Amino acid sequence: MQRHIDQELAELRSQILRMGALVESQIEGSIKALVDRDVDLASRIIERDTLVNTMDVDIDENCMRLLALQAPAARDLRFVTTAMKISTELERMSDIAENISERVIELNEEPQLKPYIDIPRMANWTMTMVHECLDAFVRSDAALARKVCADDDFVDNLTHQLFRELLSFMIENPATITRAIRLTFIGKSLERIADHATNIAELVIYMVEGKIIRHTIPPVLSDNES
Amino acid sequence: MWLDMFLKSDIDKSINPNVVRRRILRSRLRDRLFALGGLVVMAAACLVLLALLLQLAYDGMGRVSWQFVISYPSRFASQAGILSAWIGTILVMFLTALTAIPLGMGAAVYLEEYAPKNWMTDLIEINIANLAGVPSIVYGLMALGLLVYEFHLGQSFLTAGLTLAMLILPMVIIATREALRAVPPQIREAAYAVGATKWQTVRDHVVPYSMGGILTGMILALSRAVGETAPLITVGALSFIAFLPHSPLTLEFPFLSFQWLFDPFTVMPIQMFNWISRPQDEFHINAAAAGVILLLMTLAMNALAITVRARFRKRIHW
Amino acid sequence: MTIHVDVMPAIKAESKALSFYYGGTVQALKSISLALPDRRATALIGPSGCGKTTYLRCLNRMHDLYPGNRYAGAVFLYPDGLNIVDQTIDPIEIRMRIGMVFQKPNPFPTTIYDNVAYGLRIRGSIPRSELDGIVEQSLKDAALWPEVKDRLRELAFNLSGGQQQRLCIARALATGPEMLLFDEPTSALDPTATARIEELVTDLKQRVTIVIVTHNMQQAARVSDYTAFMYEGELVECDRTEKIFTNPSNKLTEEYVTGRFG
């Protein structure tokens, strides 16, 4: 039986997707601004963050309204509460992209330290994770969500690698410290974005299966089949 | 597209204000005609009743006096009175009530609450309804054969009381059953849910709450019995009794006497019938006067029924 | 880290493969096996005609009042293990241990005092002072005492709908039942009265086992510890209420709870 609430839930889903698409482009834009040394792009990314915040507030209000008026239960309830949390995670991702853009503007005051290899790789991996976690949300695909959780390790490893490399730069040549630290920060930011993507994936698993797996150790994940 | 316009025009007609107004006027007219018709019919009935009453009163009012009430019947119209007749009516009513009420209530309670709902119960119910319509003289004949000849009860108060009791028993049963049925099943369920047995439910709830209806039915049945003449004639009411039955109360132990049950009896309608059959006009006047008294007695009983019902209705509303 | 230990409480009553036939032929309940935990509230939910009221009325043998009905299976009442639907057991005995509150408030058309005292009076003669005490306590337990303490001799019909229903609850409580059955107790009441009755049920369930049939899922969610979902005479699922409303195991249950049918 098709009901009014189904329309509203569908609308909520599209809202999340639109926000997700915007956040993806924010992340992509901030890295592009880094690689291309494009200050204008970075400024635009910073401005667009307010748009993301507005979307976050809208989604929150929508969810509150649904909870108050429709009193959804079971699957619908899990969907609405998950949507609220995903919106928060996405908003934080956009904040991080904004921070990256700020660092990019600062970096452009000095010449490029080294060719950027690891950071773009990390960025690609992270953006894939973000894209996949939102995909998992759209398709209610718990298996895909679990894959995203597992992929987080890769990003963590890349972060450590980047840090070691930049550390050696800093030890060799103290003049590079400012730029190296800023780049480290950008690497860390990407790692945090990946963590948020993992959070979204865990929320999707809860929504689909009704099991809360947040804050559990990864080995439990692979053991759990049903 | 033309279909669209066709449909729309129909709709337009029905919401056209003038058409609607005309319809309303027509309905109002029909309303008024019906009300008028009802009024005419009611007025006619009332007029007939009023005519009867006035005729009776006109003929008989003059004769009604204290002397009339406390005199025995006599061959002389001016000395005749209705003492034995109205005392007889009261005593017979007393016996009728004493017999019919417990039997009638008991039968109704059994049929309504206890009897299984099968073909036999249905048969009994149908027969009771039929019995209510049997002509009263048939009851008289039956009573004559059974009570007077078989049981040798004689042409006495006892026979009269039992005869009328049998006559009104179906009415009492039916009225009681209707009153019992009016008690909603929720009340019974509430009683059962608290752990009451069937008897406790009936005794504490069903019967008390239907008392209004039961009493109304009983009083109406009795007021019907007051006017029954045919069966009493058949079982041998005398029309000339210049004496009263033995007193039911005595001065010595055990202070109660049943002798009066077997005394010959008469009642008001019979006395009236006797007087009206005589050729003399004075006796006809006597009959009219007795009729006035009888009417007053009936009205009093009905008033009692209405008061009782009102008092019980105040407390209970479903 | 908090660990949820889901200990199953003691069982007060349990139906084992209970079936019920109206008029001996029309099957309304199909082999229902359901455990009712002691001193908890169990809600029965389901679409119209699913058999929840039929099941409830089996528990205190109300079906016996109408001829022709037939029970199959058993319903055990603990701690003594009495089979409620055994035909050799007197239903009066059952009804003295299991009370019922009906959908439409049905107080007797007598005084408030007599309403509450009736259940006690038919059990034998109790001295007046003791009776007064029990009546007062029952009315207090039903959250009605403050409103009626000065007018116990007034007719029950003078009370409002919500008050009448609380009076019916007091009447059921007066006899000290082990289990209370509620058949949609608030469906005829306004929201304020409904809220008061729900509060009452939430308080009462700590002392008396409660089984409540309700059409209102939110009510079941608010008031009960366990919820049983029935459909077309069968028990589909029974579990802790929070599980039924956040993540039910059965798809049919989920469809009902999210309002997608019925």
Side-chain angles (χ1 to χ4, degrees):
Chain A
M1 183 174 100
Q2 192 64 287
R3 290 164 69 237
H4 245 126
I5 192 177
D6 291 320
Q7 272 175 292
E8 304 206 26
L9 295 174
E11 174 57 34
L12 184 59
R13 182 176 284 116
S14 338
Q15 268 185 305
I16 295 274
L17 289 178
R18 282 198 298 274
M19 190 179 174
L22 182 55
V23 169
E24 276 183 63
S25 76
Q26 289 285 80
I27 301 169
E28 190 178 359
S30 67
I31 297 302
K32 192 164 189 298
L34 172 70
V35 169
D36 295 347
R37 291 176 67 83
D38 186 345
V39 174
D40 289 327
L41 179 56
S43 311
R44 285 205 302 279
I45 300 291
I46 294 170
E47 275 168 21
R48 269 208 295 183
D49 187 59
T50 45
L51 187 57
V52 176
N53 293 342
T54 312
M55 289 177 95
D56 178 38
V57 169
D58 277 346
I59 289 175
D60 246 10
E61 282 176 354
N62 225 354
C63 291
M64 287 300 280
R65 196 176 47 79
L66 271 169
L67 288 174
L69 299 183
Q70 302 279 357
R75 182 170 294 259
D76 297 341
L77 176 64
R78 297 200 301 275
F79 174 76
V80 173
T81 50
T82 303
M84 276 175 94
K85 291 194 158 193
I86 288 180
S87 156
T88 309
E89 300 284 337
L90 287 174
E91 195 263 331
R92 291 211 189 107
M93 284 188 201
S94 180
D95 280 346
I96 295 171
E98 188 196 1
N99 284 344
I100 292 177
S101 301
E102 284 169 1
R103 299 291 89 74
V104 166
I105 292 177
E106 289 166 6
L107 276 172
N108 268 9
E109 292 161 14
E110 296 177 72
Q112 191 164 337
L113 178 62
K114 63 183 269 302
Y116 298 134
I117 305 171
D118 281 334
I119 289 185
R121 270 177 72 200
M122 275 181 73
N124 279 334
W125 205 257
T126 304
M127 287 196 296
T128 308
M129 283 174 71
V130 171
H131 193 80
E132 283 180 347
C133 78
L134 289 173
D135 238 4
F137 169 72
V138 170
R139 302 201 315 250
S140 298
D141 188 344
L144 183 57
R146 288 198 155 88
K147 174 181 175 295
V148 172
C149 293
D151 286 348
D152 191 44
D153 291 338
F154 190 73
V155 178
D156 288 345
N157 291 338
L158 275 179
T159 316
H160 293 148
Q161 198 177 307
L162 179 70
F163 180 61
R164 281 196 297 272
E165 191 190 342
L166 289 171
L167 190 58
S168 64
F169 263 87
M170 286 193 272
I171 293 172
E172 259 178 63
N173 182 4
T176 63
I177 288 180
T178 335
R179 282 171 286 169
I181 288 185
R182 288 194 177 120
L183 286 172
T184 313
F185 181 82
I186 291 179
K188 208 77 190 103
S189 300
L190 285 172
E191 195 221 343
R192 277 167 56 210
I193 291 180
D195 283 343
H196 284 301
T198 311
N199 289 347
I200 292 181
E202 287 169 352
L203 287 169
V204 170
I205 294 175
Y206 167 68
M207 184 185 84
V208 172
E209 297 177 355
K211 275 195 296 240
I212 297 180
I213 62 159
R214 295 198 314 277
H215 316 305
T216 51
I217 340 168
V220 178
L221 280 174
S222 41
D223 283 340
N224 260 338
E225 256 317 86
S226 51
Chain B
M1 148 109 167
W2 61 267
L3 183 68
D4 205 21
M5 279 169 43
F6 176 70
L7 290 172
K8 265 227 208 98
S9 75
D10 224 24
I11 296 172
D12 277 348
K13 229 195 284 180
S14 57
I15 60 171
N16 178 359
N18 285 325
V19 175
V20 174
R21 251 180 236 133
R22 246 180 287 141
R23 282 216 190 122
I24 292 177
L25 274 169
R26 246 179 285 149
S27 300
R28 282 248 180 88
L29 188 64
R30 260 178 259 146
D31 255 344
R32 289 215 187 96
L33 281 175
F34 186 75
L36 195 64
L39 193 65
V40 164
V41 169
M42 195 188 74
C46 287
L47 276 172
V48 168
L49 190 63
L50 204 61
L52 276 167
L53 288 173
L54 285 175
Q55 176 76 31
L56 197 65
Y58 178 73
D59 285 340
M61 248 349 252
R63 187 72 183 82
V64 175
S65 67
W66 186 243
Q67 176 264 332
F68 183 64
V69 171
I70 62 170
S71 303
Y72 287 110
S74 146
R75 281 179 292 124
F76 302 108
S78 50
Q79 292 174 359
I82 53 170
L83 181 65
S84 47
W86 68 262
I87 287 190
T89 295
I90 289 179
L91 287 175
V92 170
M93 281 303 110
F94 172 68
L95 279 175
T96 306
L98 200 65
T99 315
I101 287 172
L103 280 177
M105 273 186 71
V109 168
Y110 175 78
L111 282 170
E112 187 59 27
E113 304 290 329
Y114 287 86
K117 303 272 180 272
N118 56 16
W119 63 270
M120 201 155 66
T121 316
D122 288 338
L123 198 63
I124 294 176
E125 279 183 41
I126 294 174
N127 279 327
I128 290 176
N130 285 343
L131 282 172
V134 166
S136 49
I137 191 152
V138 175
Y139 280 99
L141 286 175
M142 179 193 63
L144 186 66
L146 190 68
L147 301 172
V148 177
Y149 292 141
E150 257 323 295
F151 294 160
H152 301 295
L153 295 178
Q155 296 164 334
S156 60
F157 277 101
L158 189 60
T159 311
L162 289 175
T163 310
L164 288 184
M166 282 190 286
L167 178 68
I168 66 168
L169 195 62
M171 282 174 260
V172 174
I173 292 178
I174 291 174
T176 308
R177 281 199 81 187
E178 288 306 311
L180 291 173
R181 279 207 190 124
V183 177
Q186 289 93 293
I187 296 293
R188 291 166 216 257
E189 286 200 347
Y192 285 120
V194 156
T197 60
K198 185 175 254 202
W199 169 238
Q200 284 166 333
T201 307
V202 168
R203 179 195 67 188
D204 297 331
H205 297 289
V206 181
V207 169
Y209 304 149
S210 49
M211 231 23 200
I214 295 177
L215 283 174
T216 309
M218 277 197 268
I219 292 174
L220 286 175
L222 284 175
S223 43
R224 155 114 189 251
V226 159
E228 284 299 333
T229 321
L232 295 181
I233 293 179
T234 319
V235 298
L238 300 176
S239 53
F240 194 93
I241 294 191
F243 52 86
L244 287 177
H246 290 89
S247 166
L249 302 164
T250 59
L251 290 166
E252 41 185 52
F253 189 81
F255 301 116
L256 276 177
S257 155
F258 294 113
Q259 177 65 44
W260 62 280
L261 287 172
F262 297 98
D263 285 340
F265 72 100
T266 187
V267 291
M268 291 276 285
I270 300 224
Q271 188 63 67
M272 286 168 63
F273 178 64
N274 171 268
W275 280 336
I276 209 84
S277 337
R278 305 228 187 137
Q280 295 95 327
D281 271 343
E282 297 85 7
F283 281 113
H284 293 184
I285 295 175
N286 280 0
V292 170
I293 306 268
L294 186 59
L295 206 60
L296 285 172
M297 284 172 80
T298 312
L299 285 173
M301 288 188 90
N302 280 347
L304 185 62
I306 293 171
T307 324
V308 161
R309 193 176 61 204
R311 218 170 73 89
F312 276 90
R313 281 268 170 83
K314 221 177 7 161
R315 295 188 32 145
I316 296 171
H317 43 94
W318 305 117
Chain C
M1 182 170 91
T2 48
I3 303 171
H4 264 274
V5 183
D6 208 5
V7 178
M8 191 65 181
I11 305 291
K12 181 65 193 169
E14 185 173 20
S15 68
K16 287 220 155 79
L18 175 70
S19 295
F20 179 77
Y21 302 84
Y22 278 112
T25 50
V26 178
Q27 186 169 22
L29 294 179
K30 301 178 185 147
S31 193
I32 309 253
S33 295
L34 175 64
L36 302 166
D38 186 28
R39 275 176 287 182
R40 301 283 192 282
T42 303
L44 297 177
I45 62 173
S48 303
C50 68
K52 45 192 198 292
T53 300
T54 307
Y55 181 80
L56 196 77
R57 289 166 75 97
C58 284
L59 296 178
N60 68 346
R61 297 273 287 274
M62 285 304 268
H63 292 297
D64 287 24
L65 298 177
Y66 307 99
N69 296 327
R70 181 165 67 90
Y71 307 91
V75 182
F76 296 109
L77 184 64
Y78 299 114
D80 45 313
L82 183 78
N83 180 4
I84 292 175
V85 298
D86 186 353
Q87 288 302 307
T88 61
I89 308 260
D90 190 357
I92 309 287
E93 190 189 328
I94 306 286
R95 295 186 200 129
M96 288 199 173
R97 294 172 66 180
I98 299 180
M100 185 176 245
V101 176
F102 298 84
Q103 187 169 347
K104 196 166 168 301
N106 56 1
F108 301 128
T110 62
T111 64
I112 294 173
Y113 185 95
D114 286 335
N115 258 282
V116 183
Y118 183 68
L120 295 159
R121 286 209 175 108
I122 55 176
R123 276 162 175 70
S125 46
I126 302 182
R128 184 49 187 269
S129 50
E130 205 180 313
L131 203 61
D132 283 348
I134 298 178
V135 167
E136 180 177 334
Q137 186 55 46
S138 307
L139 287 168
K140 280 186 177 150
D141 288 341
L144 189 60
W145 177 251
E147 294 162 57
V148 302
K149 64 179 194 272
D150 298 323
R151 40 184 187 138
L152 291 175
R153 302 294 161 193
E154 273 185 32
L155 285 184
F157 277 5
N158 290 338
L159 297 174
S160 73
Q163 289 171 320
Q164 283 185 18
Q165 190 65 305
R166 275 180 281 152
L167 178 64
C168 292
I169 295 177
R171 178 177 67 188
L173 284 174
T175 54
E178 301 166 39
M179 196 152 91
L180 264 186
L181 309 175
F182 287 87
D183 186 1
E184 298 190 42
T186 60
S187 55
L189 304 176
D190 67 75
T192 320
T194 299
R196 289 185 86 154
I197 302 258
E198 286 181 9
E199 272 310 297
L200 192 54
V201 171
T202 312
D203 287 335
L204 283 174
K205 72 182 180 190
Q206 292 163 28
R207 299 182 352 236
V208 184
T209 306
I210 290 187
V211 184
I212 174 167
V213 164
T214 178
H215 258 140
N216 182 345
M217 279 192 294
Q218 303 313 314
Q219 182 171 90
R222 283 191 290 267
V223 154
S224 67
D225 303 296
Y226 291 85
T227 300
F229 170 61
M230 289 178 65
Y231 182 67
E232 287 186 353
E234 289 179 340
L235 176 66
V236 175
E237 186 177 350
C238 177
D239 209 330
R240 294 200 65 94
T241 298
E242 64 206 59
K243 178 142 194 311
I244 295 279
F245 285 96
T246 56
N247 189 17
S249 313
N250 188 301
K251 186 165 187 311
L252 204 60
T253 313
E254 178 154 81
E255 278 182 35
Y256 182 72
V257 150
T258 56
R260 284 185 166 83
F261 86 81

